[in-house]
Amino acid sequence: MSPSQEPVFPEYETETSQTSKLIKKFKETPFVPIGMGGFAAVVAYGLYKLKHRGDMKMSLHLIHMRVAAQGFAVGALTCGTYGMAAVPARANRD
């Protein structure tokens, strides 16, 4: 890019830190990182419980953990979508 050209997205090109990008994303849409964190927590719990699953088959345990992780992520995104739709409605009432 030549110096005379202005960047297309100056606010994104000036931020190089991954932490600052994550903080900005968390402020814009807080339920996305919450969903990602919940997904990671369910996966970590599933890996921990893998050794203590008893006589449950491995495939059944993995299916349960996948459904729980997906359910948490979809639930967080649904709550976020509902919350973002409610914000303009509240702003219009004021």
Side-chain angles (χ1 to χ4, degrees), residues 47-65:
L47 290 174
Y48 172 74
K49 293 297 279 184
L50 190 61
K51 292 183 91 168
H52 309 289
R53 69 181 187 275
D55 59 349
M56 185 186 297
K57 289 185 176 182
M58 170 78 89
S59 62
L60 187 60
H61 174 75
L62 292 175
I63 288 171
H64 287 168
M65 290 300 107

Side-chain angles (χ1 to χ4, degrees), residues 72-86:
F72 192 92
V74 168
L77 291 173
T78 302
C79 289
T81 302
Y82 177 74
M84 295 306 269

Side-chain angles (χ1 to χ4, degrees), residues 26 29-42 69-70 72-77:
F26 188 76
T29 54
F31 286 99
V32 172
I34 291 171
M36 290 169 48
F39 179 85
V42 169
Q70 284 179 331
F72 192 92
V74 168
L77 291 173

